[in-house]
Amino acid sequence: MDDGVYVLIKKGDPEQLQKRKFLHKDESTIGRRGNQLKPDIEFSSPYVSRKHAVIRKFGHQYTISDLASKHGTEVNGVAVHQTPHPLFHGDVISLAKGVVELIFFAEGSEMDVTREFSFPLPAAKADPKTAVSGLVINLERREIRLDGNRIYLTGKDMDLLMLLFQRANQAVSYEEIMVLIWPERLVGTDKNVPDVGRTEINALVYRLRKRLGRYGEKVTTIPRYGYMWEE
């Protein structure tokens, strides 16, 4: 069982905000609650379909599929259909055009050991964002190549790069970085934000920029807010 795998409710019913929903089952349904239907992860918004989406577990690998919902499902801004879409640590799941937002966490699970899927997935279309003039970032394999040479990052360095890169040209707040990069510091507390200071975040960013060499300047500072990966 992957006890560390869960979704954090970032946006939705007020009483559920910042709550974690652990994904212990092989199949966890997401939808609107009703008298006859009780999804595993339920919301009250009328824009969320009764059977909106489902997260499935294959060993230590997770996917999400839309269940022909009326207003759709997205992962990191990309539409998801009935074909299984792989989930990785830090992915943002959006239902009904952002009415509900969930963050997928796989911190500390065996899923973090390998990002390769053993079951067939549809071939992905080439994404020009994964190659930046000498800097190649493979999101699924968590692999970084700089001018043809593979570089190795620590866990936190890699997590931060993946977070910023997946949200390219979108500012990511200090608070969101704290929650996504240091989720283990929430365990056993009643806080909504980990006890992580700006100095620690800035040190992590400094280290990442240094490892990326001349491409480190793509990690830009948003004064009094956070950071952004700039294309």
Side-chain angles (χ1 to χ4, degrees), residues 79-132:
V80 171
H81 304 290
Q82 290 180 302
T83 301
H85 182 97
L87 287 172
F88 300 110
H89 176 69
D91 281 350
V92 177
I93 301 167
S94 175
L95 308 182
K97 309 299 182 185
V99 169
V100 168
E101 286 189 357
L102 311 169
I103 303 175
F104 178 76
F105 282 90
E107 184 76 16
S109 74
E110 292 184 42
M111 181 183 172
D112 276 337
V113 177
T114 175
R115 298 287 174 157
E116 297 181 4
F117 281 75
S118 58
F119 58 92
L121 290 173
K125 294 181 179 179
D127 185 351
K129 290 200 305 181
T130 59
V132 186

Short mmCIF file of all heavy atoms in Angstrom, two decimals, residues 79-132:
data_model
loop_
_atom_site.label_atom_id
_atom_site.label_comp_id
_atom_site.label_asym_id
_atom_site.label_seq_id
_atom_site.Cartn_x
_atom_site.Cartn_y
_atom_site.Cartn_z
N ALA A 79 -6.26 18.85 -21.27
CA ALA A 79 -7.51 18.08 -21.18
C ALA A 79 -7.24 16.59 -21.09
O ALA A 79 -6.38 16.05 -21.78
CB ALA A 79 -8.39 18.39 -22.38
N VAL A 80 -7.98 15.92 -20.21
CA VAL A 80 -7.90 14.48 -20.03
C VAL A 80 -9.19 13.86 -20.54
O VAL A 80 -10.28 14.39 -20.31
CB VAL A 80 -7.70 14.13 -18.54
CG1 VAL A 80 -7.82 12.63 -18.31
CG2 VAL A 80 -6.36 14.64 -18.05
N HIS A 81 -9.06 12.74 -21.24
CA HIS A 81 -10.23 12.07 -21.77
C HIS A 81 -10.37 10.70 -21.11
O HIS A 81 -9.83 10.48 -20.03
CB HIS A 81 -10.13 11.98 -23.29
CG HIS A 81 -9.93 13.32 -23.93
ND1 HIS A 81 -10.92 14.28 -23.97
CD2 HIS A 81 -8.83 13.89 -24.52
CE1 HIS A 81 -10.47 15.37 -24.57
NE2 HIS A 81 -9.20 15.17 -24.91
N GLN A 82 -11.05 9.77 -21.75
CA GLN A 82 -11.26 8.46 -21.13
C GLN A 82 -10.01 7.59 -21.17
O GLN A 82 -9.88 6.65 -20.39
CB GLN A 82 -12.44 7.76 -21.81
CG GLN A 82 -13.78 8.42 -21.48
CD GLN A 82 -14.96 7.73 -22.14
OE1 GLN A 82 -15.00 7.61 -23.36
NE2 GLN A 82 -15.90 7.26 -21.35
N THR A 83 -9.09 7.91 -22.07
CA THR A 83 -7.81 7.19 -22.10
C THR A 83 -7.01 7.54 -20.84
O THR A 83 -6.91 8.71 -20.48
CB THR A 83 -7.00 7.60 -23.34
OG1 THR A 83 -7.76 7.31 -24.51
CG2 THR A 83 -5.68 6.84 -23.39
N PRO A 84 -6.45 6.55 -20.13
CA PRO A 84 -5.71 6.83 -18.89
C PRO A 84 -4.58 7.84 -19.10
O PRO A 84 -3.79 7.71 -20.04
CB PRO A 84 -5.16 5.45 -18.50
CG PRO A 84 -6.10 4.48 -19.12
CD PRO A 84 -6.51 5.10 -20.42
N HIS A 85 -4.52 8.82 -18.23
CA HIS A 85 -3.48 9.84 -18.26
C HIS A 85 -2.60 9.66 -17.02
O HIS A 85 -3.10 9.67 -15.90
CB HIS A 85 -4.11 11.24 -18.25
CG HIS A 85 -3.12 12.36 -18.33
ND1 HIS A 85 -2.80 12.99 -19.51
CD2 HIS A 85 -2.37 12.95 -17.37
CE1 HIS A 85 -1.90 13.93 -19.26
NE2 HIS A 85 -1.63 13.93 -17.98
N PRO A 86 -1.28 9.45 -17.19
CA PRO A 86 -0.42 9.20 -16.02
C PRO A 86 -0.35 10.40 -15.09
O PRO A 86 -0.37 11.55 -15.52
CB PRO A 86 0.95 8.92 -16.66
CG PRO A 86 0.90 9.58 -17.99
CD PRO A 86 -0.52 9.46 -18.46
N LEU A 87 -0.27 10.11 -13.80
CA LEU A 87 -0.15 11.15 -12.78
C LEU A 87 1.23 11.08 -12.13
O LEU A 87 1.74 9.99 -11.86
CB LEU A 87 -1.22 10.96 -11.70
CG LEU A 87 -2.66 11.32 -12.09
CD1 LEU A 87 -3.62 10.90 -10.98
CD2 LEU A 87 -2.79 12.81 -12.38
N PHE A 88 1.80 12.26 -11.88
CA PHE A 88 3.09 12.36 -11.23
C PHE A 88 2.99 13.33 -10.06
O PHE A 88 2.12 14.21 -10.03
CB PHE A 88 4.17 12.82 -12.22
CG PHE A 88 4.35 11.89 -13.38
CD1 PHE A 88 3.95 12.26 -14.65
CD2 PHE A 88 4.90 10.63 -13.20
CE1 PHE A 88 4.11 11.40 -15.73
CE2 PHE A 88 5.06 9.77 -14.27
CZ PHE A 88 4.66 10.15 -15.54
N HIS A 89 3.90 13.17 -9.13
CA HIS A 89 3.93 14.00 -7.93
C HIS A 89 3.89 15.49 -8.30
O HIS A 89 4.68 15.96 -9.11
CB HIS A 89 5.21 13.70 -7.14
CG HIS A 89 5.39 14.57 -5.94
ND1 HIS A 89 4.60 14.47 -4.83
CD2 HIS A 89 6.28 15.56 -5.68
CE1 HIS A 89 5.00 15.36 -3.93
NE2 HIS A 89 6.00 16.03 -4.43
N GLY A 90 2.93 16.21 -7.72
CA GLY A 90 2.82 17.64 -7.97
C GLY A 90 1.85 18.03 -9.06
O GLY A 90 1.59 19.22 -9.25
N ASP A 91 1.29 17.04 -9.78
CA ASP A 91 0.33 17.35 -10.83
C ASP A 91 -0.91 18.03 -10.24
O ASP A 91 -1.39 17.66 -9.16
CB ASP A 91 -0.11 16.08 -11.57
CG ASP A 91 0.91 15.62 -12.59
OD1 ASP A 91 1.85 16.39 -12.87
OD2 ASP A 91 0.76 14.50 -13.11
N VAL A 92 -1.44 19.00 -10.99
CA VAL A 92 -2.66 19.69 -10.57
C VAL A 92 -3.83 19.17 -11.41
O VAL A 92 -3.82 19.27 -12.64
CB VAL A 92 -2.54 21.22 -10.74
CG1 VAL A 92 -3.86 21.90 -10.39
CG2 VAL A 92 -1.42 21.76 -9.87
N ILE A 93 -4.81 18.59 -10.74
CA ILE A 93 -6.00 18.06 -11.39
C ILE A 93 -7.11 19.10 -11.27
O ILE A 93 -7.42 19.55 -10.17
CB ILE A 93 -6.45 16.74 -10.73
CG1 ILE A 93 -5.32 15.70 -10.80
CG2 ILE A 93 -7.72 16.21 -11.37
CD1 ILE A 93 -5.56 14.49 -9.91
N SER A 94 -7.69 19.47 -12.39
CA SER A 94 -8.74 20.48 -12.40
C SER A 94 -10.03 19.88 -12.95
O SER A 94 -10.02 19.23 -13.99
CB SER A 94 -8.30 21.67 -13.27
OG SER A 94 -9.34 22.61 -13.40
N LEU A 95 -11.12 20.09 -12.24
CA LEU A 95 -12.43 19.63 -12.68
C LEU A 95 -13.30 20.82 -13.03
O LEU A 95 -13.27 21.84 -12.34
CB LEU A 95 -13.12 18.82 -11.57
CG LEU A 95 -12.36 17.66 -10.92
CD1 LEU A 95 -13.25 16.99 -9.89
CD2 LEU A 95 -11.88 16.66 -11.95
N ALA A 96 -14.06 20.68 -14.11
CA ALA A 96 -15.05 21.70 -14.49
C ALA A 96 -14.43 23.08 -14.62
O ALA A 96 -14.89 24.05 -14.01
CB ALA A 96 -16.22 21.70 -13.50
N LYS A 97 -13.37 23.16 -15.40
CA LYS A 97 -12.72 24.45 -15.69
C LYS A 97 -12.22 25.17 -14.44
O LYS A 97 -12.27 26.39 -14.34
CB LYS A 97 -13.67 25.37 -16.47
CG LYS A 97 -14.31 24.75 -17.69
CD LYS A 97 -13.30 24.32 -18.72
CE LYS A 97 -13.97 23.75 -19.97
NZ LYS A 97 -13.00 23.22 -20.94
N GLY A 98 -11.76 24.40 -13.47
CA GLY A 98 -11.17 25.01 -12.28
C GLY A 98 -12.09 25.19 -11.11
O GLY A 98 -11.69 25.76 -10.09
N VAL A 99 -13.34 24.71 -11.21
CA VAL A 99 -14.25 24.79 -10.07
C VAL A 99 -13.68 23.99 -8.89
O VAL A 99 -13.79 24.38 -7.73
CB VAL A 99 -15.65 24.25 -10.45
CG1 VAL A 99 -16.53 24.09 -9.21
CG2 VAL A 99 -16.32 25.20 -11.44
N VAL A 100 -13.03 22.87 -9.22
CA VAL A 100 -12.36 22.04 -8.23
C VAL A 100 -10.91 21.84 -8.68
O VAL A 100 -10.66 21.61 -9.86
CB VAL A 100 -13.05 20.66 -8.08
CG1 VAL A 100 -12.18 19.70 -7.27
CG2 VAL A 100 -14.42 20.82 -7.45
N GLU A 101 -9.98 21.96 -7.74
CA GLU A 101 -8.58 21.68 -8.03
C GLU A 101 -8.01 20.76 -6.96
O GLU A 101 -8.20 20.99 -5.77
CB GLU A 101 -7.76 22.97 -8.10
CG GLU A 101 -8.00 23.78 -9.36
CD GLU A 101 -7.03 24.94 -9.52
OE1 GLU A 101 -6.20 25.14 -8.61
OE2 GLU A 101 -7.11 25.65 -10.54
N LEU A 102 -7.32 19.73 -7.41
CA LEU A 102 -6.67 18.77 -6.53
C LEU A 102 -5.19 18.70 -6.90
O LEU A 102 -4.84 18.82 -8.07
CB LEU A 102 -7.29 17.38 -6.69
CG LEU A 102 -8.82 17.26 -6.65
CD1 LEU A 102 -9.25 15.87 -7.10
CD2 LEU A 102 -9.32 17.54 -5.25
N ILE A 103 -4.35 18.49 -5.91
CA ILE A 103 -2.92 18.31 -6.17
C ILE A 103 -2.56 16.87 -5.82
O ILE A 103 -2.87 16.38 -4.73
CB ILE A 103 -2.07 19.28 -5.34
CG1 ILE A 103 -2.47 20.72 -5.64
CG2 ILE A 103 -0.58 19.08 -5.65
CD1 ILE A 103 -1.77 21.75 -4.78
N PHE A 104 -1.94 16.18 -6.77
CA PHE A 104 -1.59 14.77 -6.59
C PHE A 104 -0.22 14.67 -5.91
O PHE A 104 0.76 15.25 -6.38
CB PHE A 104 -1.55 14.07 -7.95
CG PHE A 104 -1.14 12.62 -7.88
CD1 PHE A 104 -2.03 11.66 -7.44
CD2 PHE A 104 0.13 12.23 -8.27
CE1 PHE A 104 -1.66 10.32 -7.39
CE2 PHE A 104 0.51 10.90 -8.22
CZ PHE A 104 -0.39 9.94 -7.78
N PHE A 105 -0.17 13.93 -4.81
CA PHE A 105 1.06 13.74 -4.06
C PHE A 105 1.46 12.27 -4.08
O PHE A 105 0.63 11.40 -3.80
CB PHE A 105 0.90 14.18 -2.61
CG PHE A 105 0.96 15.67 -2.41
CD1 PHE A 105 -0.20 16.43 -2.48
CD2 PHE A 105 2.16 16.31 -2.16
CE1 PHE A 105 -0.16 17.80 -2.29
CE2 PHE A 105 2.21 17.68 -1.98
CZ PHE A 105 1.05 18.43 -2.04
N ALA A 106 2.73 12.02 -4.39
CA ALA A 106 3.26 10.65 -4.31
C ALA A 106 4.58 10.68 -3.56
O ALA A 106 5.45 9.85 -3.78
CB ALA A 106 3.45 10.07 -5.71
N GLU A 107 4.76 11.65 -2.68
CA GLU A 107 6.00 11.82 -1.93
C GLU A 107 6.26 10.62 -1.04
O GLU A 107 5.41 10.19 -0.28
CB GLU A 107 5.92 13.07 -1.05
CG GLU A 107 7.20 13.39 -0.31
CD GLU A 107 8.25 14.00 -1.21
OE1 GLU A 107 7.90 14.44 -2.31
OE2 GLU A 107 9.42 14.03 -0.80
N GLY A 108 7.46 10.04 -1.18
CA GLY A 108 7.86 8.95 -0.30
C GLY A 108 7.33 7.59 -0.68
O GLY A 108 7.64 6.60 -0.05
N SER A 109 6.52 7.49 -1.74
CA SER A 109 6.00 6.19 -2.14
C SER A 109 6.97 5.54 -3.11
O SER A 109 7.88 6.17 -3.63
CB SER A 109 4.64 6.35 -2.83
OG SER A 109 4.81 6.87 -4.14
N GLU A 110 6.76 4.25 -3.39
CA GLU A 110 7.62 3.56 -4.33
C GLU A 110 7.46 4.11 -5.73
O GLU A 110 8.29 3.89 -6.60
CB GLU A 110 7.31 2.06 -4.32
CG GLU A 110 7.69 1.38 -3.01
CD GLU A 110 7.46 -0.11 -3.08
OE1 GLU A 110 7.78 -0.72 -4.11
OE2 GLU A 110 6.96 -0.66 -2.10
N MET A 111 6.39 4.85 -5.94
CA MET A 111 6.18 5.46 -7.25
C MET A 111 7.29 6.43 -7.58
O MET A 111 7.62 6.65 -8.74
CB MET A 111 4.83 6.19 -7.26
CG MET A 111 4.49 6.84 -8.58
SD MET A 111 2.96 7.73 -8.48
CE MET A 111 2.96 8.56 -10.06
N ASP A 112 7.91 7.04 -6.55
CA ASP A 112 8.96 8.00 -6.80
C ASP A 112 10.25 7.35 -7.28
O ASP A 112 11.15 8.01 -7.76
CB ASP A 112 9.27 8.79 -5.52
CG ASP A 112 8.33 9.97 -5.36
OD1 ASP A 112 7.77 10.40 -6.37
OD2 ASP A 112 8.15 10.43 -4.22
N VAL A 113 10.35 6.02 -7.12
CA VAL A 113 11.57 5.34 -7.52
C VAL A 113 11.64 5.22 -9.03
O VAL A 113 12.69 5.34 -9.64
CB VAL A 113 11.61 3.93 -6.88
CG1 VAL A 113 12.84 3.17 -7.36
CG2 VAL A 113 11.61 4.06 -5.36
N THR A 114 10.50 4.98 -9.67
CA THR A 114 10.50 4.84 -11.12
C THR A 114 9.33 5.60 -11.71
O THR A 114 8.24 5.60 -11.16
CB THR A 114 10.40 3.36 -11.55
OG1 THR A 114 10.28 3.32 -12.97
CG2 THR A 114 9.22 2.66 -10.92
N ARG A 115 9.55 6.23 -12.84
CA ARG A 115 8.50 6.98 -13.51
C ARG A 115 8.13 6.30 -14.83
O ARG A 115 7.49 6.89 -15.66
CB ARG A 115 8.98 8.40 -13.79
CG ARG A 115 9.29 9.18 -12.52
CD ARG A 115 8.04 9.57 -11.78
NE ARG A 115 8.37 10.19 -10.51
CZ ARG A 115 7.56 11.00 -9.86
NH1 ARG A 115 6.39 11.27 -10.32
NH2 ARG A 115 7.92 11.54 -8.72
N GLU A 116 8.55 5.05 -15.02
CA GLU A 116 8.24 4.35 -16.25
C GLU A 116 6.99 3.50 -16.04
O GLU A 116 6.82 2.86 -15.00
CB GLU A 116 9.42 3.46 -16.66
CG GLU A 116 10.67 4.26 -16.96
CD GLU A 116 11.82 3.38 -17.38
OE1 GLU A 116 11.62 2.17 -17.51
OE2 GLU A 116 12.91 3.92 -17.58
N PHE A 117 6.12 3.49 -17.04
CA PHE A 117 4.87 2.76 -16.93
C PHE A 117 4.98 1.41 -17.62
O PHE A 117 5.48 1.30 -18.73
CB PHE A 117 3.71 3.57 -17.55
CG PHE A 117 3.23 4.64 -16.64
CD1 PHE A 117 3.97 5.80 -16.46
CD2 PHE A 117 2.05 4.50 -15.94
CE1 PHE A 117 3.53 6.79 -15.59
CE2 PHE A 117 1.61 5.49 -15.08
CZ PHE A 117 2.35 6.63 -14.91
N SER A 118 4.48 0.37 -16.93
CA SER A 118 4.61 -0.98 -17.45
C SER A 118 3.39 -1.41 -18.26
O SER A 118 3.37 -2.48 -18.83
CB SER A 118 4.80 -1.97 -16.29
OG SER A 118 3.71 -1.88 -15.38
N PHE A 119 2.33 -0.60 -18.30
CA PHE A 119 1.17 -0.93 -19.10
C PHE A 119 1.09 0.04 -20.27
O PHE A 119 1.63 1.14 -20.21
CB PHE A 119 -0.11 -0.86 -18.26
CG PHE A 119 -0.36 0.48 -17.64
CD1 PHE A 119 -1.11 1.44 -18.28
CD2 PHE A 119 0.19 0.78 -16.40
CE1 PHE A 119 -1.33 2.67 -17.71
CE2 PHE A 119 -0.03 2.03 -15.83
CZ PHE A 119 -0.79 2.96 -16.48
N PRO A 120 0.45 -0.36 -21.37
CA PRO A 120 0.47 0.47 -22.58
C PRO A 120 -0.30 1.77 -22.40
O PRO A 120 -1.41 1.78 -21.87
CB PRO A 120 -0.20 -0.42 -23.63
CG PRO A 120 -1.04 -1.36 -22.84
CD PRO A 120 -0.29 -1.61 -21.57
N LEU A 121 0.32 2.86 -22.81
CA LEU A 121 -0.32 4.17 -22.83
C LEU A 121 -0.25 4.70 -24.25
O LEU A 121 0.66 4.35 -25.00
CB LEU A 121 0.39 5.14 -21.89
CG LEU A 121 0.22 4.88 -20.40
CD1 LEU A 121 1.12 5.83 -19.61
CD2 LEU A 121 -1.22 5.06 -19.97
N PRO A 122 -1.19 5.56 -24.66
CA PRO A 122 -1.13 6.10 -26.01
C PRO A 122 0.12 6.93 -26.21
O PRO A 122 0.58 7.61 -25.29
CB PRO A 122 -2.40 6.98 -26.07
CG PRO A 122 -2.69 7.32 -24.65
CD PRO A 122 -2.28 6.11 -23.87
N ALA A 123 0.67 6.87 -27.42
CA ALA A 123 1.87 7.64 -27.71
C ALA A 123 1.57 9.12 -27.59
O ALA A 123 0.58 9.62 -28.12
CB ALA A 123 2.35 7.32 -29.13
N ALA A 124 2.41 9.82 -26.84
CA ALA A 124 2.20 11.25 -26.64
C ALA A 124 2.74 12.03 -27.83
O ALA A 124 3.75 11.66 -28.43
CB ALA A 124 2.91 11.70 -25.37
N LYS A 125 2.07 13.10 -28.16
CA LYS A 125 2.55 13.96 -29.22
C LYS A 125 3.77 14.72 -28.73
O LYS A 125 3.89 15.04 -27.56
CB LYS A 125 1.45 14.95 -29.63
CG LYS A 125 0.24 14.29 -30.27
CD LYS A 125 -0.78 15.34 -30.68
CE LYS A 125 -1.99 14.69 -31.32
NZ LYS A 125 -3.01 15.70 -31.71
N ALA A 126 4.67 15.00 -29.65
CA ALA A 126 5.88 15.74 -29.27
C ALA A 126 5.49 17.10 -28.73
O ALA A 126 4.67 17.80 -29.30
CB ALA A 126 6.78 15.90 -30.49
N ASP A 127 6.04 17.44 -27.60
CA ASP A 127 5.74 18.72 -26.97
C ASP A 127 6.97 19.61 -27.06
O ASP A 127 8.00 19.31 -26.47
CB ASP A 127 5.37 18.50 -25.50
CG ASP A 127 4.93 19.78 -24.82
OD1 ASP A 127 5.08 20.86 -25.43
OD2 ASP A 127 4.44 19.70 -23.69
N PRO A 128 6.89 20.70 -27.82
CA PRO A 128 8.07 21.55 -27.98
C PRO A 128 8.58 22.12 -26.68
O PRO A 128 9.73 22.52 -26.58
CB PRO A 128 7.56 22.67 -28.90
CG PRO A 128 6.07 22.66 -28.74
CD PRO A 128 5.72 21.22 -28.50
N LYS A 129 7.76 22.12 -25.63
CA LYS A 129 8.21 22.69 -24.37
C LYS A 129 9.25 21.81 -23.68
O LYS A 129 9.92 22.25 -22.77
CB LYS A 129 7.03 22.89 -23.41
CG LYS A 129 6.09 23.99 -23.82
CD LYS A 129 5.27 24.46 -22.64
CE LYS A 129 4.53 23.35 -21.98
NZ LYS A 129 3.71 23.81 -20.85
N THR A 130 9.35 20.52 -24.10
CA THR A 130 10.27 19.63 -23.41
C THR A 130 11.71 19.81 -23.89
O THR A 130 12.62 19.21 -23.35
CB THR A 130 9.87 18.16 -23.60
OG1 THR A 130 9.86 17.87 -25.00
CG2 THR A 130 8.50 17.90 -23.01
N ALA A 131 11.92 20.61 -24.90
CA ALA A 131 13.28 20.89 -25.36
C ALA A 131 13.47 22.39 -25.45
O ALA A 131 12.73 23.08 -26.12
CB ALA A 131 13.53 20.24 -26.72
N VAL A 132 14.46 22.91 -24.76
CA VAL A 132 14.69 24.35 -24.74
C VAL A 132 16.14 24.61 -25.13
O VAL A 132 17.02 24.69 -24.30
CB VAL A 132 14.39 24.95 -23.35
CG1 VAL A 132 14.49 26.46 -23.40
CG2 VAL A 132 13.02 24.53 -22.87
#
